[in-house]
């Protein structure tokens, strides 16, 4: 029985606590666009990704299409249990999912041996969710934009999923704050593994916004800033990584 993760690109992950399988923010098929249309920004996968089997939980941090991606969600069984931010819960309910629980920041839900704690995440523009997942097999923090809720008490976690670079837009500022938040995450959670998220994957983006984005920092710089006991993983999409635990 192992604690492992698989990256699907963008903000999508499969987290496995032994046989308990959690799919997070998946984009596995089709294009990714935002209103008012593809001219603003459009993402295209280089190939479609097979939907994982035998899922126990779908966990959604945001209701935006890069986290609650309707074409991907339509491929999932409607009987799958879903936890998500209120905006994400609204998306899956419209698609006919039967077991949906909306979690506001500060709320907690337990499923079998897994405890999911919701905390305030990115304001995009509404406050969305970050999560701490705790299971006898391992523990992990996930927030896809680099926004850390200061109300989260310091605790020891096995792993953190976060962007590790800042990405900014003119006038709007940083909408990914990975480089900025990384030292805080390390200090608060003392993780053994940092998993770089959100800016990776096998996809191409086009459109007006793509040409305006500016990146600050790099995975290499982030790795050099870590203590010896913490490893930074720049995940290869669809490859599984067994994670160390503090026990």
């Amino acid at each position: 029985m192992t604690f492992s993760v698989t990256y699907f690109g963008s903000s999508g992950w499969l987290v496995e606590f032994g046989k308990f399988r959690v799919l997070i923010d998946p984009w596995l098929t089709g294009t990714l666009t935002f209103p008012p249309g593809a001219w603003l920004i459009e993402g295209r996968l280089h190939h479609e990704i097979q939907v994982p089997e035998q899922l126990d939980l779908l966990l959604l941090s945001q209701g935006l299409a890069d986290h609650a991606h309707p074409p991907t969600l339509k491929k999932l069984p409607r009987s799958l249990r879903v936890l998500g931010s209120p905006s994400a819960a609204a998306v899956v309910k419209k698609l006919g999912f039967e077991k949906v629980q909306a979690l506001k920041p500060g709320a907690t839900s337990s499923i079998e041996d897994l405890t999911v704690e919701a905390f305030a995440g990115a304001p995009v523009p509404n406050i969305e969710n970050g999560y701490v997942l705790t299971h006898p097999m391992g523990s992990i923090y996930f927030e896809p934009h680099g926004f850390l809720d200061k109300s989260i008490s310091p605790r020891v976690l096995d792993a953190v999923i976060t962007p590790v670079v800042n990405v900014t837009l003119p006038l709007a500022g940083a909408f990914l704050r990975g480089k900025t938040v990384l030292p805080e995450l390390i200090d608060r959670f003392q993780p053994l593994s940092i998993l770089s998220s959100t800016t990776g994957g096998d996809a191409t983006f086009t459109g007006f916004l793509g040409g305006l984005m500016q990146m600050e920092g790099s995975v290499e710089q982030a790795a050099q800033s870590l203590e010896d006991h913490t490893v930074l993983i720049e995940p290869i999409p669809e490859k599984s990584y067994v994670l160390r635990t503090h026990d």
Side-chain angles (χ1 to χ4, degrees), residues 117-119 132 134 141 148-157 184-185 187-190:
E117 299 173 79
F119 295 97
V132 171
T134 307
Y141 167 84
L148 176 62
D149 188 336
K150 305 300 184 182
S151 73
I152 305 178
S153 59
R155 62 189 73 183
V156 175
L157 299 177
E184 297 180 67
L185 294 174
D187 181 63
R188 189 163 302 220
F189 300 133
Q190 302 173 48

Side-chain angles (χ1 to χ4, degrees), residues 39-41 168-170 205-214:
W39 66 268
L40 183 66
I41 189 167
T168 63
L169 284 169
F205 288 87
T206 57
F208 177 74
L209 284 184
L212 298 178
M213 293 181 186
Q214 297 180 340

Side-chain angles (χ1 to χ4, degrees), residues 29 47 66 81 85 94 102-103 108 143 151 153 166 205-206 211:
T29 187
H47 71 279
D66 54 335
R81 181 155 183 182
S85 68
K94 288 181 180 178
L103 294 180
T108 298
E143 201 288 320
S151 73
S153 59
N166 291 355
F205 288 87
T206 57

Side-chain angles (χ1 to χ4, degrees), residues 73-123:
L73 298 176
K74 289 177 181 178
K75 287 182 169 288
L76 301 175
R78 300 303 188 272
S79 60
L80 178 61
R81 181 155 183 182
V82 185
L83 297 179
S85 68
S87 65
V91 172
V92 291
K93 285 179 179 178
K94 288 181 180 178
L95 294 175
F97 282 78
E98 302 162 4
K99 304 172 185 176
V100 182
Q101 182 180 0
L103 294 180
K104 294 182 178 180
T108 298
S109 183
S110 295
I111 307 168
E112 296 184 17
D113 291 329
L114 177 69
T115 299
V116 178
E117 299 173 79
F119 295 97

